[in-house]
Each structure stands twice: as structure tokens, then as C-alpha cells.
Amino acid sequence: KGFKTEMIQAGYEIYNKNMDLVLKYSNYVKPKINKEISSRTEKFLGITIDEFNKTSIPYNDFYKEFNKSLDKYNPAIVVYGKNDQIVLNESYDINKKPSLSNKTRYVNLCQIIKTFYGLKNDPGLFKLFSIYYDNQDTQEHDALVDSEVLRKVFLAFRKDVLEEEYKKKIKKELS
């Protein structure tokens, strides 16, 4: 009751139009409301509270870097679902920073894939990854790894849109 979700990790990659990596960013971010991460979060992230406290950066440092990245590259921000977008937008208020919403353009890949395949439910990112790449690796709960998996799913989906290689398999396994 009254719990607010805070950003505690940021990870992203920026690619140019040729899909060459131009920037990679990953940091734990110190929470403002709940000064300590919970033991549940500690397990989820696979990091101890002490490690988190030693390696996390102030939100202001993240904000400056993110703002600089938006100014320099003007990227479309590909997200999987709405949660990352919501948490990021709420982080401005929590940390009393001007919103960067006027600099962001979000693309919800989950919704695009769901619509393309005519699915009733949102397909899981790692489920799609396992279908596209025949890979059963488990989710690591790391923001940078998630962004790398998201890029790979995007590339496979883009190929599918052009070639429809996976359309029947995806519909069969996720319908």
C-alpha cells in the first residue's frame, strides 16, 4: 500500500540506422524513496545490498547521461510493454527533475508483435527470444541484458516481417 516503483537499474544501447552500436550504458541507480533495496530485490537482481550500495550512482548522474544521450542521438526508445516507460516518466517526479518526455519517442515492440501475429495475450520477451533463437537461456533480470535481448528480438521480428519465417511457429506456440 502506497508503494511507488522506483528505477534502481538503467541499461540501454543506442544503435545507428545501420544497427551499429554507438553507445552502451548500464548502472544501478540509488533509490530516493526507499533508501535500501529489499531482500526480494537483492535476490531478483542477484546482487547483495552492500554491492548495490557500493556500485549504484545517484539518480542525477543517470539523468544527466540520459539527457545527454537523448540530445546527441535523438533515438527512438524501443520498450517491451509500458512498464519501463511508466517507471522512467515517474522517476522525474520522484527525483524532482524536469521531464524529458518531450525528447522521447517510445516504440512498444510488444504491442507491435502482438498485433502483427494477431495474439490475444502479450508475448513474453524471453519466450519470443527462445522461439526466434531456439535458446532456452533464463532471464537474468539485468537492464542491459534485457536491452540486448530486446534488440535481438527486434531484429528477428524485422526479418519475420520481411520474410514471415516465424509467423506460423509464433502463432502456434503463443495462441
Side-chain angles (χ1 to χ4, degrees):
K1 189 174 183 179
F3 178 79
K4 262 206 183 260
T5 303
E6 283 188 81
M7 178 192 312
I8 57 169
Q9 187 182 32
Y12 58 87
E13 300 174 316
I14 298 178
Y15 292 85
N16 65 18
K17 65 182 177 181
N18 298 320
M19 292 306 289
D20 299 318
L21 181 67
V22 294
L23 179 71
K24 187 181 275 200
Y25 181 91
S26 179
N27 272 306
Y28 291 110
V29 180
K30 291 181 194 303
K32 184 169 184 113
I33 297 170
N34 303 302
K35 302 292 183 195
E36 292 282 323
I37 62 171
S38 67
S39 57
R40 182 173 180 237
T41 302
E42 184 180 21
K43 273 185 179 174
F44 180 79
L45 293 176
I47 187 172
T48 67
I49 292 171
D50 287 341
E51 290 171 322
F52 180 85
N53 289 338
K54 287 177 187 170
T55 60
S56 59
I57 63 168
Y59 179 85
N60 289 344
D61 293 355
F62 159 75
Y63 181 88
K64 287 175 190 171
E65 281 300 312
F66 187 59
N67 191 20
K68 189 168 79 174
S69 297
L70 293 174
D71 286 342
K72 183 173 183 178
Y73 299 106
N74 189 29
I77 301 172
V78 181
V79 294
Y80 202 80
K82 294 182 180 180
N83 288 343
D84 290 341
Q85 181 179 348
I86 291 167
V87 170
L88 182 61
N89 286 336
E90 286 178 353
S91 77
Y92 307 137
D93 290 336
I94 290 170
N95 291 280
K96 297 180 178 21
K97 289 292 189 187
S99 174
L100 299 177
S101 295
N102 62 331
K103 297 182 179 186
T104 54
R105 298 173 291 132
Y106 291 99
V107 176
N108 184 344
L109 186 60
C110 179
Q111 189 60 49
I112 292 169
I113 289 173
K114 182 178 172 182
T115 301
F116 180 79
Y117 291 120
L119 302 172
K120 292 178 183 156
N121 299 312
D122 290 350
L125 177 63
F126 282 81
K127 177 66 173 174
L128 282 171
F129 180 73
S130 72
I131 294 168
Y132 281 133
Y133 293 97
D134 197 26
N135 184 321
Q136 300 304 317
D137 286 347
T138 56
Q139 188 172 358
E140 293 183 35
H141 302 293
D142 178 275
L144 184 60
V145 171
D146 289 355
S147 72
E148 292 166 350
V149 168
L150 179 60
R151 180 183 68 84
K152 288 177 182 176
V153 167
F154 168 76
L155 292 173
F157 174 68
R158 184 174 72 173
K159 180 180 177 190
D160 196 21
V161 167
L162 299 174
E163 300 174 13
E164 295 200 19
E165 179 180 339
Y166 298 101
K167 192 166 190 173
K168 289 178 187 171
K169 186 176 181 181
I170 298 284
K171 285 186 97 159
K172 179 183 171 209
E173 290 202 32
L174 296 177
S175 294

